[in-house]
């Protein structure tokens, strides 16, 4: 059975801190790993990673995949209160119509 | 610029009642999905469709049915609602299969079964 495990499950930091969110996966015929941010409503797409060692970056957020060790990290630098959200990690297998989601990491950024 | 639209946003049902959650997308995506999200449990796939007329079960299909008569619409039907179906339901769509790109989500439908 495919599995995605995120850690920590929740995290409280102060504005300006840097955080690292972890995602490990066990997926048959792994193809891609995706990160989503979920505020109050629908998850919104952040990154899709398919190749090991290549960092994807968007502003203060960055992510990297390690296909040998089967994990990914999401880094957020200089956190702001607007970064408070649940961050979801999901993995897909080749030819699969499903994403396997982790339980999410709830990030709270306090002023 | 609607994207994926779900209705209703909130609904309270009594045990044994039935209802349909509506989902429509205007991006001409072939792939559509229904997920449920329980607190602290991530998203679980209920049903998916790879095109009009084609549907298949996901991880947690029991108690639900779907149809896909058009590319745009993918309604989810709950027959004989049970308290275990209390959840937040998300409809999503994508251009290709899950190994090719991101999902676009609707804003969710919060269902309570009492």
């Amino acid at each position: 059975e495919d599995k995605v495990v995120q850690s920590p499950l929740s995290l409280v930091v102060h504005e300006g801190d840097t955080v690292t969110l972890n995602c490990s996966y066990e997926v048959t015929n792994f193809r891609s790993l995706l990160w989503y941010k979920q505020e109050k409503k629908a998850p919104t797409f952040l990154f899709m990673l398919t190749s090991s060692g290549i960092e994807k970056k968007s502003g203060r957020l960055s992510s990297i995949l390690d296909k040998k060790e089967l994990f990914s990290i999401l880094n957020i630098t200089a956190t702001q209160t607007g970064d408070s959200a649940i961050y979801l990690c999901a993995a897909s297998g080749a030819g699969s119509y499903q994403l396997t989601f982790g339980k999410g990491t709830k990030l709270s950024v306090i002023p | 610029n609607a994207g994926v639209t779900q209705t209703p946003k909130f609904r309270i049902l009594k045990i044994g009642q039935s209802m349909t959650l509506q989902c429509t997308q205007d991006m001409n995506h072939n792939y559509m999905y229904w997920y449920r999200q329980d607190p602290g449990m991530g998203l679980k796939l209920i049903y998916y469709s790879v095109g009009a007329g084609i549907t298949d079960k996901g991880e947690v299909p029991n108690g639900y049915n779907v149809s896909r008569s058009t590319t745009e619409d993918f309604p989810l039907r709950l027959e004989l609602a049970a308290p275990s179906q209390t959840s937040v339901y998300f409809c999503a769509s994508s251009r290709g299969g899950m190994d090719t790109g991101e999902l676009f989500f609707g804003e969710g439908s919060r269902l309570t079964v009492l």
Side-chain angles (χ1 to χ4, degrees):
Chain A
E1 183 182 327
D2 294 344
K3 189 166 64 171
V4 173
V5 177
Q6 292 186 245
S7 65
L9 292 180
S10 68
L11 190 56
V12 180
V13 300
H14 287 96
E15 264 191 319
D17 288 351
T18 293
V19 298
T20 298
L21 310 183
N22 303 296
C23 175
S24 65
Y25 63 90
E26 294 175 27
V27 171
T28 304
N29 297 323
F30 171 80
R31 182 64 183 262
S32 61
L33 188 133
L34 295 91
W35 286 97
Y36 288 85
K37 178 182 182 182
Q38 185 176 22
E39 295 175 87
K40 294 192 176 176
K41 295 182 179 177
T44 54
F45 174 77
L46 293 174
F47 298 111
M48 183 171 84
L49 304 155
T50 57
S51 300
S52 249
I54 298 175
E55 185 183 54
K56 293 229 173 171
K57 205 166 165 61
S58 176
R60 296 175 293 102
L61 277 67
S62 63
S63 184
I64 198 160
L65 176 67
D66 185 327
K67 290 168 76 172
K68 184 179 175 188
E69 300 297 330
L70 308 183
F71 78 90
S72 174
I73 60 172
L74 176 68
N75 278 322
I76 309 174
T77 59
T79 51
Q80 301 171 357
T81 54
D83 295 325
S84 296
I86 296 173
Y87 290 84
L88 296 168
C89 172
S92 74
S96 170
Y97 300 111
Q98 303 197 35
L99 280 180
T100 300
F101 280 85
K103 293 182 179 182
T105 293
K106 183 176 180 182
L107 175 65
S108 301
V109 182
I110 53 178
Chain B
N1 218 22
V4 178
T5 303
Q6 289 180 235
T7 57
K9 289 188 168 46
F10 302 94
R11 182 72 188 267
I12 297 174
L13 281 181
K14 293 183 179 176
I15 293 171
Q17 286 185 320
S18 300
M19 74 159 297
T20 299
L21 297 176
Q22 302 291 345
C23 175
T24 187
Q25 52 93 7
D26 61 0
M27 296 174 282
N28 202 32
H29 286 170
N30 281 325
Y31 296 78
M32 295 187 75
Y33 314 82
W34 274 105
Y35 284 90
R36 61 177 285 173
Q37 185 177 36
D38 299 316
M41 293 303 294
L43 288 149
K44 301 284 187 185
L45 183 67
I46 305 171
Y47 269 94
Y48 66 93
S49 170
V50 302
I54 307 169
T55 63
D56 209 345
K57 295 177 182 178
E59 189 179 355
V60 290
N62 291 344
Y64 307 95
N65 273 303
V66 294
S67 59
R68 185 95 182 272
S69 55
T70 66
T71 298
E72 295 77 22
D73 300 309
F74 190 41
L76 176 73
R77 179 135 181 100
L78 281 74
E79 304 282 1
L80 298 174
S84 60
Q85 293 178 303
T86 294
S87 190
V88 180
Y89 292 84
F90 288 99
C91 180
S93 71
S94 64
R95 270 186 296 271
M98 271 300 93
D99 55 349
T100 62
E102 65 179 286
L103 290 174
F104 294 82
F105 285 89
E107 293 199 336
S109 300
R110 183 177 293 276
L111 176 67
T112 302
V113 182
L114 300 174

